[in-house]
Every structure is written in structure tokens, then in C-alpha cells.
Amino acid sequence: MSQHSADPAPNSAVATVAKRRDWWRDAVIYQVYPRSFADSNGDGMGDLEGVRSRLPYLRDLGVDAVWLSPFYASPQADAGYDVADYRAVDPMFGNLLDADALIRDAHELGLRIIVDLVPNHSSDQHEWFRRAVAEGPGSPLRERYHFRPGTGKNGELPPNDWESIFGGPAWTRVEDGEWYLHLFAPEQPDFNWEHPAVGDEFRSILRFWLDMGVDGFRIDVAHGLVKAEGLPDLGSHDQLKLLGNDVMPFFDQDGVHEIYRQWREVLDEYAGERIFVAEAWTPTVERTANYVRPDELHQAFNFQYLSTDWDAKELRKVVDLTLEAMRPVGAPATWVLSNHDVTRHATRFANPPGLGTQIRLAGDRELGLRRARAATLLMLALPGSAYIYQGEELGLPDVVDLPDEVRQDPAYFRGAGQDGFRDGCRVPIPWTRTGSSYGFGSGGSWLPQPESWGELSIEAQTGAAGSTLELYRTALAVRREQPDLGAGDSVEWLKAPEGVLAFRRGEFVCVTNTGGESVTTPAHGRLLLASGEIAETDGETKIPADTTVWWTTA
């Protein structure tokens, strides 16, 4: 096979990165939401140069790779997940030279770069779609999307009963009377992956960015590309409750796997162990495992874990199910607590269970932070790869009191569907104690930041004993140093009181108290780290509520 990347210079950080085998099996990957990470030009919007300037912070934090949410040319109807040109950088974020410089700098620092890819749909401003609409019924370009005549006496009703994830019908009618499918916003028409031109185009897009030097792709809506033949009615009037819980004619169809087998062949042409990560909402972890078979993708997000309440019994159940599902296909488990689409876990855990992953309640801030810290140490102790969403290392809560007039989540503006409160986890992060945007940039921020942001900033927490930032830095360093942490496919559960999780991995032991009262357990060797204050006396350890402790018997 051809090798598209030049060999790195010996003894460089690039060489170290390239030569590390199976790095993705235990990688800690940090998600950057570019518009909210760092603003280099003072326009209130984060950009690629801003990300580039902050790469040393991410290296020092101790992560292995950086996943960048979309920065492609886009009208921004859904924060860049509506792509008009997959080979161009949107001017709000910079240009291709900025992307190239970011990738090069990251590699020099020993960091890998993973970029978002959005193959389920394009923007309605994509050249293909604009021409398809202009050319009218019968245009060959319409075959690259899902255009259909309507139903009803005069075609005035949608072709089927599918609903948009953002609420309302999943179909929009154009002036000539035909309808097009969009599982998300009307500005995001779905591609027809049965058409060979679509597959050809995306294999070309993969090569474009691989030639730029990226180390992998996070695949948006990886489960949605193929629709059931004939686009049959779902026959349900409460479709959103079925998402991720049942088989649906537009999600998790078996045909997606042939697409990813073809993509894997492209990826394997390139040196340096490039990877694919699937955003795949499926009914079971066993279905998720189908995406990470040896000839398909490398990782798939573990949404079952993200959606689990702070409860020892439920957490143990999803850990066991995940490890059991991944073991037969030889893929690593992934663990994640927050991302750009859900309420941050510091707020989620501050509220009663059962509210879902989008919450508009502040909850008990102190309780949420305590649980978030404990949940982080638990997550980082589990076998496999872990994902960190920007700002969670600061213990940031969701901003639940954003004025309605500043909200930009498209789901918020539709009458039904999701709550539309994703803006709360996308508020730009604070770097300094003071300033117009707490160091985010010199010109304010595109979403308003709370007054409390300064005391949660990187400046305020750096070097502060007991701060959440220093907990993350220490945890990631310990995780890298301990030979029994990182990659693996099993844990040895230990006997523990009700409400407590305890497991061993070789000479490493993790104990998490999810209950509301302190518990006393044996001290399992030398203390490595704890998410809160503990007391050790006479070979026993008193662990407060909502606390995780790490030991080693080495």
C-alpha cells in the first residue's frame, strides 16, 4: 500500500507520536469546540489560531489527542454541522493555512489531531444541493439527496411520517412541489448514500484531510447514513423517545457497515495509525460493537455510559455490558461524561436522576462538582479510552440562565423535539480571572459568561491545591505512569458496601462511593489520588459520599 505521509524526523515529538503502537486503545482525547475555546482576533468567536495558541496548555494537561468540532465552510445554521464545503475552513475560524499550522504545531508537541466529519447531511448551501433545487425534478443531482413527491391529493403532505431530531417533520417542500429529507434542521438535507457519487466524494474528502496530516476522524451521526429501503413509515407519534432505544428505519441500518469497511481501506493506506471514532446512537452496546469490528472503525462513543445516573449498581451494569460487548470484536471501550450536545456532568449530577442529558436547572452546585470529580477518577480508571470535553477539567457547570435572545441552538427555535438547551454547555471557557471574556479573547464572547467564570478560570485554578484542574492534571499523569491503567478489557470487582464500586486492575485499585454517607473500607495499598478529603487510619480508609480513591499495591 502507498504511504501518504513522510517519515517524521528522528528523535522528534512527531516521531514519538508516530511510533506509538495502538495509541488509541488507551488515549485520553480532549474535545475542542473551536468557537468557544480561544479567540485570537477579538471578534468574540473562537478560531483555529486561538486553538493553536493554547496547544501547550493541552499538552501540559496530559491528553494524547485533540478532537476539533467542525470548522468547515458553513452558514452556521447548526454551529457548523451544516457543511457547505468540506475542503475549506470557514472564514470565522481562519483558513487552510491556519489548519495546517495547527496540525503541525500539535504534532511537534506530541499531540494528535482528530477532525469532525459530517457525512449524513450537508448544508442546504452546498453546491450539490443548490444545483439540485435549481435544476428541478428529474435532475441527476437530486438523486444524491432524498427528494420525493409528497402524499395527499396534491402532494401537500410529506412523503412519510418521519420526524426531525430537532422537532417537526423531517421533510421540507421546495417550490416545485417535491420534498427533501432532513433528519435534523431543514438547512441540513440528508445525503442519499445509495448513490455512488456520494461515496466517491467522501473518500476523496478523507484523503484531502489525511494528506493535510490529521490523525483521524470523529464521524457525526455515524449510524444515520443508510435509510431503510423505500423509506417506510415509522408508525409512531412519539419518535424521539425511540432514539437510541429501538430499531428505526433511518438509524443503525446494516448497510452503514459496508461504507465504513471502504473507509477503513482508505485510512489504512496512511502511516501513523490514523483512526475513526463513531458517534453512533444504537439501542444496545452490542449494536454499537458492530461499528468497531476489526475491518471497520476503531472506537465508538459510549452513550449508554454517558446517560447513566450517578448510581453504583447502574454504573457497574453498564461497565460490564460495555466490556462484554467490546471484547469479541477486540475494540477498546470508550468512556465519556460530557460533550457539546449534553448538559455538563457537573450540572447533570447536581440534579435528581431521570431528567435526561439536557437539563435547565442549576441544581446543587457543590454536590454536582463533588460527584463530577469522583466520576472523572472512576472514568479514567476504567479500561480503554476516555474523552474530556473542554472546560470539564475546570469543573464548569452548564450556564442555565442564558437569555432567550442569545440562544443559537436550532432545536430551541422549533416548537417540539429537543429542549434546545445545548447552548448552556457551549459558553466560551475562562482562561483568566478578569477581562472582558476572562481571557477567551479581547472582544467579548459570542455567548455571555457568568460573573463566577473568573474564579473557575485556568489562571485561578493553576497551582491551587485541591482545584479541579490540578486534580485532572494529576490524574492524567498517574494514569500514564501506572502500568495497569489505560488499555484492557476487564476489571476484577471487589466486595464493597451498597452504593460503592470497587475494582482491581492488576496492582491498581479504584473505589467509588456514590452513596450519600461515608463508608469505611480497607486501605488497598499506597494511596495514589482521591477526588476529595479522606481519612486513613490503622489500615482502613474513611471515604466520604461522592468520592473516588485510587491505590496501588505495588
Side-chain angles (χ1 to χ4, degrees), residues 12-18 20 23 27-30 32 37 51-68 101-114 213-216 272 476 480:
S12 69
V14 182
T16 301
V17 168
R20 185 183 167 202
W23 66 272
V28 176
I29 299 174
Y30 186 101
V32 165
F37 192 66
V51 177
R52 181 187 176 200
S53 70
R54 299 295 190 176
L55 287 174
Y57 164 76
L58 298 178
R59 174 203 58 195
D60 295 344
L61 181 63
V63 302
D64 300 292
V66 179
W67 154 32
L68 297 167
L102 191 161
I103 294 165
R104 290 176 182 274
D105 280 10
H107 288 168
E108 287 299 325
L109 291 169
L111 295 169
R112 298 175 188 264
I113 293 292
I114 295 169
V214 303
D215 301 286
L476 293 176
R480 186 165 290 188

Side-chain angles (χ1 to χ4, degrees), residues 391-413:
E392 74 171 73
E393 76 275 20
L394 306 177
L396 293 186
D398 252 44
V399 181
V400 299
D401 56 353
L402 286 170
D404 291 349
E405 59 269 19
V406 305
R407 292 187 172 275
Q408 299 192 24
D409 184 349
Y412 183 75
F413 299 100

Side-chain angles (χ1 to χ4, degrees), residues 253-265:
Q253 296 292 304
D254 289 340
V256 300
H257 300 291
E258 178 56 31
I259 295 170
Y260 296 136
R261 282 189 280 271
Q262 293 176 13
W263 285 18
R264 182 62 178 265
E265 291 178 1

Side-chain angles (χ1 to χ4, degrees), residues 174-455:
V174 296
E175 288 185 3
D176 55 50
E178 285 199 330
W179 298 72
Y180 68 87
L181 175 68
H182 53 86
L183 292 181
F184 294 88
E187 297 89 351
Q188 296 168 290
D190 280 45
F191 284 115
N192 175 16
W193 273 87
E194 300 298 327
H195 196 290
V198 177
D200 290 345
E201 171 69 356
F202 272 90
R203 288 190 294 275
S204 174
I205 292 167
L206 289 175
R207 287 191 169 94
F208 178 87
W209 288 101
L210 288 165
D211 289 340
M212 285 276 289
V214 303
D215 301 286
F217 301 87
R218 177 265 192 185
I219 306 169
D220 184 62
V221 196
H223 54 297
L225 278 57
V226 173
K227 278 67 174 175
E229 186 176 358
L231 309 185
D233 283 343
L234 189 55
S236 170
H237 297 291
D238 201 4
Q239 297 179 17
L240 289 176
K241 288 187 177 179
L242 300 179
L243 293 176
N245 297 308
D246 206 347
V247 176
M248 308 183 81
F250 47 77
F251 279 162
D252 197 29
Q253 296 292 304
D254 289 340
V256 300
H257 300 291
E258 178 56 31
I259 295 170
Y260 296 136
R261 282 189 280 271
Q262 293 176 13
W263 285 18
R264 182 62 178 265
E265 291 178 1
V266 172
L267 201 71
D268 287 347
E269 296 172 6
Y270 288 77
E273 290 198 283
R274 322 291 178 99
I275 70 166
F276 287 122
V277 183
E279 182 204 30
W281 288 89
T282 67
T284 65
V285 288
E286 291 81 8
R287 293 288 298 180
T288 301
N290 289 337
Y291 290 79
V292 289
R293 288 176 286 201
D295 61 344
E296 293 188 44
L297 310 179
H298 297 78
Q299 295 183 347
F301 287 139
N302 191 341
F303 292 114
Q304 285 82 3
Y305 185 76
L306 183 151
S307 302
T308 302
D309 292 326
W310 183 242
D311 177 89
K313 182 187 247 182
E314 292 304 311
L315 287 165
R316 176 169 174 170
K317 179 180 177 182
V318 75
V319 168
D320 281 340
L321 286 173
T322 299
L323 295 176
E324 288 168 9
M326 295 299 137
R327 200 173 294 124
V329 295
T334 65
W335 313 102
V336 60
L337 293 167
S338 289
N339 65 35
H340 65 290
D341 280 334
V342 301
T343 299
R344 288 183 178 275
H345 60 283
T347 295
R348 204 165 66 244
F349 291 152
N351 282 279
L355 295 183
T357 58
Q358 288 200 28
I359 299 169
R360 204 180 185 184
L361 299 169
D364 183 335
R365 164 69 178 148
E366 183 178 337
L367 174 66
L369 180 59
R370 189 166 67 245
R371 288 177 171 175
R373 290 163 58 96
T376 295
L377 290 198
L378 172 61
M379 174 183 76
L380 293 175
L382 293 170
S385 178
Y387 281 77
I388 295 172
Y389 176 51
Q390 65 176 48
E392 74 171 73
E393 76 275 20
L394 306 177
L396 293 186
D398 252 44
V399 181
V400 299
D401 56 353
L402 286 170
D404 291 349
E405 59 269 19
V406 305
R407 292 187 172 275
Q408 299 192 24
D409 184 349
Y412 183 75
F413 299 100
R414 306 196 74 178
Q418 293 184 3
D419 294 329
F421 298 145
R422 295 180 298 171
D423 293 316
C425 66
R426 300 174 177 183
V427 174
I429 66 172
W431 294 88
T432 58
R433 292 179 186 269
T434 59
S436 64
S437 62
Y438 302 103
F440 168 68
S442 60
S445 63
W446 67 281
L447 285 173
Q449 302 157 300
E451 292 182 3
S452 61
W453 240 222
E455 290 310 307

